[in-house]
Amino acid sequence: MTLSPSPAAALEKLAVPRLDHIDLVTVKLPFVAPFGTSVYVWTDKEAMLMRLESGGAAAWSECVSDPDPFYFYETNGTARHIIKDFLLPLVEPGMTLGDLEARFRHVRGHGMAKATIENGLLVLIATQSGVPLHALLGRPAKKIMSGISIGLKETPDALLAAVGSAVAKKYHRVKMKIKKGQDVDWVRAVRDRFPDVRLMVDANGDYSLADAPRLRELDAFDLMMVEQPLSYNDIFQHAALQKEMKTAICLDESIHGLDDAAAAISLGACRVINIKQGRVGGLMESMRIARYCADRGVDVWSGGMDETGIGRAVNIHLQTAEGFTLPGDTSETSNYFDEDIAEPPVLLGPDGFIDIPDGPGLGVRVMPDRILKRAVRMERLR
Ligand code: OSB
Ligand code: MG
């Protein structure tokens, strides 16, 4: 077997720039509509942003955590603590990103906190080098497939209306949230009305193995996959469920890095993986997982955390990487916010594809006045 180089090998050799200033700014952006899931209903995105300044260049990154631990154990509060007290003290100018990752391993977990720093450094290096982030990742520009995640709705009619407008916009696939008691009938209603839409469901861990007969009913609807049906940390029981279901299982919450992905694949716990770059600790680990999966015929796609335009741009650049074979949760800015903190907004073209921003770094303009307007907390760490 020939071993191809790691897709992150070149990135591991990049040097950490001198950091003149490091700021954390938490912003709160109201959603255009509440986003309902089996675990919580969010009405706004409270995002902790990091700004790195080095010799006149500045780069922004976004911690993808929420203020609460309802989707994931990290919160904006734990990420701030881990970044300030444990991770930033490990960052030294001149060291390589590979060395930094190795040092970060001493801190267990907290991938979202780690990703905030690693992604910020990559954006900073790309900005200083005058290249877009995807080029720094070694990837050519390409159009990105689109996908929308539709939250739980109050009525089937409201759900059908939301799916209808997504289909009209030419989204490449539609994901609908489900929970116990709001599943098979709702999926059937969508499938009956939209027989051809590429459709999938996301349970955010609401079921247990005892619900296998119910989950198996979903096999009737030609779904692309069912995302995280069982508990948020489980791999083993998903393997048992996958044996009983025709529909592919996709893991989201359970995958915290390459080791989890490898375990899940070898156990047969899933046939698809949702890579959220924050949840797995950053862009480099995301590329490793995507490559690992591509080598084994496992599809991956880029998940989302309802990010602002900063995190959304990172997710878009990541999807140029090898292995991202399926449309992800990358939808138009207007699906989340009336006014974002970066310009231009993400828009679908007539064919449903999304253009990659091609300026240096993130390729989008971060709007400081809007960040100030939305800020709920600001601190200069250095
Ligand atoms: O489970 O994928 C999820 C949003 C917040 C937390 C968890 C999830 C989601 C989404 C929406 O499904 C993703 C997006 O549109 O950014
Ligand atoms: Mg999910």
Side-chain angles (χ1 to χ4, degrees), residues 31 35 37 39 42 45 64 66 71-72 147-151 175 177 202-204 227-228 252-253 274 276 279 301-307 312 315 328-331 335-336:
F31 283 145
F35 184 65
T37 70
V39 291
W42 285 275
K45 179 69 192 181
V64 303
D66 284 309
Y71 161 77
F72 199 63
I148 190 167
S149 175
I150 296 177
K175 156 169 146 184
K177 295 286 187 181
D202 185 0
N204 288 107
E227 182 177 345
Q228 197 73 35
D252 171 357
E253 281 92 328
N274 166 343
K276 289 185 183 169
R279 195 192 63 235
W301 50 277
S302 164
M305 288 292 291
D306 303 324
E307 290 95 338
R312 194 174 315 285
N315 295 344
D329 279 342
T330 309
S331 59
N335 185 40
Y336 310 88

Side-chain angles (χ1 to χ4, degrees), residues 124-353:
L124 179 60
I125 294 167
T127 306
Q128 289 178 324
S129 315
V131 300
L133 182 58
H134 67 82
L136 187 75
L137 302 181
R139 305 298 301 173
K142 66 168 212 187
K143 284 176 187 286
I144 301 303
M145 289 179 284
S146 64
I148 190 167
S149 175
I150 296 177
L152 294 171
K153 299 289 181 195
E154 296 284 333
T155 63
D157 279 346
L159 174 62
L160 291 170
V163 175
S165 64
V167 168
K169 283 202 164 155
K170 300 258 182 358
Y171 275 103
H172 295 130
R173 70 98 167 106
V174 170
K175 156 169 146 184
M176 57 180 278
K177 295 286 187 181
I178 58 168
K179 66 175 182 183
K180 277 185 175 176
Q182 191 167 334
D183 46 32
V184 174
D185 294 340
W186 295 65
V187 176
R188 183 182 298 112
V190 171
R191 187 43 98 204
D192 284 351
R193 177 80 63 88
F194 304 97
D196 300 323
V197 69
R198 295 183 86 193
L199 184 66
M200 59 170 289
V201 296
D202 185 0
N204 288 107
D206 205 37
Y207 298 83
S208 70
L209 261 188
D211 302 308
R214 183 77 178 164
L215 290 165
R216 226 183 295 126
E217 289 183 50
L218 295 171
D219 280 341
F221 305 112
D222 190 26
L223 301 177
M224 294 172 76
M225 66 195 89
V226 47
E227 182 177 345
Q228 197 73 35
L230 308 180
S231 185
Y232 63 92
N233 236 356
D234 171 74
I235 292 177
F236 186 67
Q237 296 182 56
H238 281 95
L241 179 65
Q242 182 67 90
K243 285 192 188 72
E244 291 187 34
M245 281 190 86
K246 192 176 75 180
T247 309
I249 290 176
C250 169
L251 289 180
D252 171 357
E253 281 92 328
S254 297
I255 305 298
H256 301 189
L258 180 58
D259 291 347
D260 292 331
I265 291 167
S266 67
L267 282 168
C270 62
R271 299 208 289 267
V272 185
I273 288 180
N274 166 343
I275 296 181
K276 289 185 183 169
Q277 45 79 18
R279 195 192 63 235
V280 302
L283 288 164
M284 288 158 65
E285 187 76 347
S286 298
M287 292 174 78
R288 292 185 196 106
I289 296 173
R291 163 71 73 78
Y292 184 92
C293 290
D295 286 347
R296 286 155 186 81
V298 172
D299 288 310
V300 311
W301 50 277
S302 164
M305 288 292 291
D306 303 324
E307 290 95 338
T308 76
I310 293 173
R312 194 174 315 285
V314 169
N315 295 344
I316 289 173
H317 284 283
L318 171 62
Q319 288 173 74
T320 60
E322 189 191 350
F324 285 84
T325 47
L326 292 173
D329 279 342
T330 309
S331 59
E332 290 193 331
T333 301
S334 61
N335 185 40
Y336 310 88
F337 311 114
D338 283 328
E339 186 190 75
D340 200 347
I341 52 173
E343 288 286 337
V346 173
L347 284 173
L348 301 198
D351 50 3
F353 281 91

